[in-house]
Amino acid sequence: MLLNKALCQGRQVQASLVSGRPSVSDGVRAARVAPVAMPSSSSPMASAVTAPAPATIRAGRRAAVVVRAAAASRPWKTKDCRLVLEDGSVWWGTSFGAKGTTTGEVVFNTSLSGYQEIMTDPSYKGQFVAFTCPHIGNVGINDEDMESEKVHLGAIIVRDLSISVSNYRSSTSLDAYCKKQNVIGIADIDTRALTKALRDTGCLVGVISTDATKTDAELVAAAKSWTIVGKDLLSVVSCKEPYEWRQGTQPEWEFAPAVKAQGAHSQLHVVAYDFGIKYNILRRLASFGCRITVVPATYPASEVMKMNPDGVFFSNGPGDPSAAPYAVDNAKAILGKKPVFGICMGHQILGQAFGGKTFKLKFGHHGGNHPIRAPDGRIEVSAQNHNFAVDPKTLPAGVEVSHINLNDGTCAGMVWHDKKAMTIQYHPEASPGPHDADVCFEQFVEWMRAEKAHATA
């Protein structure tokens, strides 16, 4: 009995370490010699003496070793990373992924799923994404859900990084993927407080650093010296040479009745300007019967017209739309000659080509739950990711604001029938997000087929 009690004391020391509260005195108590009943030579049950118990001593020694190891290295990770904002605030967290120092505009995203798709969306180039969903990393990373060939955002900010991965499609963890992609992550941040600060103040430039030698003042100065306004990032994330795309949505993931029911139509040829195009945009166009030629952001309109496409698509992309005048000039040269469709950055480029102007939103639209009023009065829940918007008051006569963001009343879509142009400010391809707006691809395809039939009549 007494021997068992001594062994239990050793186990209690180890349990105290697991709880995160090790004590050297626990090891001392466990190392003490415990009384053990010993029979006398005259009477086996008459008396007891105190003698050292070897098993007890060994258990105590092991516990003491564990205590000393815990004192040297804590079983939990300390906060070793800082997010420093241009307003001077400092947010301490724990690092994961890559090490180093990086600068970007901090935005929050309200999506409840799809962190992998968000990370590989080229539209986030130059930005840090703070996820309002508190638990990130639980489904790991898989090879099928990439929206581009690599991560484009500068860093990710999370409340809780999952310590385990549980998904049958996963091939690696978020931490390992960030290391491979050289992307800094910071966890244990109060993302609710950070989101409220960004909502009230507006987007802020931040610096994330694991370098303890840098002072807070140095990092604040670095944040204040950087801005995304006026930066042309389209040519940075765009492809360098034209390429063909024919792969549609995999049958097991297809959801659109129009795609499943479409007959034997001849393929339509679409030239897509790559301002940072997402793979799922290409998949949706292909699923609706399009053969796509993707061209770089700076590709001349004259070369596009030589291909004689049935329609021209202007993709999503990062940065300031007013910093890419070459894209606006190309759009102007194509307007009225071929049906055109613009998404996100493409919407803003076409808005400028129409004659309108863009402006920067306070904190942008980033998430998968933004309500939109469509032309027929239908309400779409949309996926969005943009920091700029088209000012409808600057648009010329003939341009109809077709879609309205119901959160703040901003322009979410335009149609110019005379110029055969339609635009959407948000992401009808989702990934991640709802499929309410997928109908936009169907409308663009119908428009191209009608124009093609009219031209051959």
Side-chain angles (χ1 to χ4, degrees):
M1 294 286 292
L2 295 173
L3 178 59
N4 289 338
K5 180 178 179 181
L7 292 174
C8 287
Q9 286 176 332
R11 294 190 186 102
Q12 287 169 357
V13 173
Q14 293 176 327
S16 71
L17 298 178
V18 174
S19 68
R21 295 184 295 275
S23 171
V24 175
S25 62
D26 292 334
V28 173
R29 283 196 297 271
R32 288 175 181 165
V33 176
V36 179
M38 298 290 288
S40 67
S41 58
S42 59
S43 174
M45 303 301 296
S47 62
V49 296
T50 301
T56 306
I57 293 173
R58 287 194 297 271
R61 285 174 178 168
R62 287 195 299 269
V65 169
V66 173
V67 170
R68 286 194 294 271
S73 176
R74 295 173 180 173
W76 61 87
K77 188 173 182 179
T78 57
K79 294 192 173 184
D80 61 343
C81 188
R82 285 168 291 171
L83 165 64
V84 179
L85 300 178
E86 61 179 305
D87 65 358
S89 59
V90 179
W91 307 70
W92 279 94
T94 54
S95 66
F96 65 94
K99 304 294 183 181
T101 302
T102 185
T103 305
E105 181 181 56
V106 184
V107 300
F108 60 88
N109 188 297
T110 58
S111 294
L112 296 178
S113 64
Y115 56 82
Q116 175 178 337
E117 293 93 323
I118 291 167
M119 291 175 63
T120 54
D121 180 352
S123 297
Y124 281 108
K125 180 71 174 179
Q127 294 179 320
F128 300 163
V129 176
F131 292 97
T132 60
C133 182
H135 194 58
I136 299 295
N138 54 313
V139 295
I141 299 291
N142 67 73
D143 298 327
E144 293 79 32
D145 290 346
M146 305 295 181
E147 285 302 321
S148 66
E149 63 182 1
K150 65 178 183 179
V151 174
H152 290 273
L153 51 72
I156 62 173
I157 304 166
V158 305
R159 174 65 185 93
D160 179 53
L161 176 68
S162 179
I163 61 174
S164 62
V165 173
S166 180
N167 188 273
Y168 75 99
R169 300 170 69 223
S170 175
S171 59
T172 188
S173 68
L174 177 58
D175 179 38
Y177 182 64
C178 286
K179 284 184 171 71
K180 181 179 179 180
Q181 293 285 316
N182 196 33
V183 173
I184 298 177
I186 181 169
D188 298 317
I189 294 293
D190 186 346
T191 50
R192 181 157 57 177
L194 177 60
T195 298
K196 290 175 67 176
L198 296 175
R199 181 195 64 191
D200 296 341
T201 306
C203 288
L204 295 170
V205 175
V207 177
I208 294 179
S209 180
T210 59
D211 187 348
T213 66
K214 295 183 181 293
T215 67
D216 293 345
E218 288 175 329
L219 299 180
V220 170
K224 289 182 176 180
S225 66
W226 192 89
T227 180
I228 202 168
V229 176
K231 279 187 168 50
D232 169 27
L233 298 177
L234 308 190
S235 57
V236 176
V237 300
S238 179
C239 63
K240 304 308 177 186
E241 298 291 337
Y243 65 92
E244 298 290 317
W245 182 284
R246 296 174 183 266
Q247 177 186 342
T249 302
Q250 293 296 320
E252 64 177 316
W253 301 111
E254 185 53 65
F255 56 87
V259 170
K260 296 177 180 179
Q262 66 183 348
H265 291 292
S266 59
Q267 275 199 324
L268 296 167
H269 182 208
V270 174
V271 173
Y273 269 101
D274 177 12
F275 300 148
I277 198 164
K278 292 171 63 180
Y279 287 162
N280 211 44
I281 289 176
L282 297 172
R283 294 188 195 106
R284 297 314 294 154
L285 286 169
S287 292
F288 278 100
C290 298
R291 172 177 63 87
I292 307 112
T293 301
V294 184
V295 298
T298 57
Y299 206 71
S302 57
E303 296 302 311
V304 170
M305 295 306 295
K306 287 179 183 178
M307 300 181 193
N308 193 30
D310 297 303
V312 179
F313 177 79
F314 296 85
S315 84
N316 60 294
D320 186 345
S322 66
Y326 57 86
V328 177
D329 290 340
N330 282 330
K332 287 180 178 178
I334 295 171
L335 275 176
K337 299 175 182 177
K338 297 288 181 179
V340 299
F341 180 26
I343 287 177
C344 199
M345 175 60 73
H347 161 91
Q348 297 161 14
I349 293 296
L350 284 171
Q352 294 176 91
F354 294 167
K357 295 182 179 180
T358 59
F359 66 96
K360 195 173 189 297
L361 297 166
K362 183 178 180 180
F363 48 79
H365 301 155
H366 311 276
N369 56 355
H370 292 254
I372 299 293
R373 188 176 68 238
D376 59 359
R378 187 172 68 103
I379 304 301
E380 297 175 349
V381 179
S382 67
Q384 303 207 8
N385 173 27
H386 60 101
N387 267 22
F388 293 82
V390 173
D391 183 355
K393 295 189 293 291
T394 64
L395 294 171
V399 179
E400 172 191 349
V401 176
S402 55
H403 297 69
I404 299 292
N405 187 306
L406 295 180
N407 281 341
D408 58 10
T410 52
C411 172
M414 301 176 291
V415 175
W416 196 352
H417 292 282
D418 291 346
K419 298 293 184 180
K420 310 172 189 176
M422 59 179 288
T423 75
I424 293 294
Q425 176 60 88
Y426 46 101
H427 286 264
E429 85 291 347
S431 283
H435 299 150
D436 298 27
D438 190 70
V439 66
C440 294
F441 294 107
E442 182 180 358
Q443 293 168 349
F444 180 48
V445 167
E446 290 175 350
W447 202 344
M448 287 190 290
R449 291 198 192 284
E451 286 293 324
K452 190 173 185 177
H454 178 74
T456 58

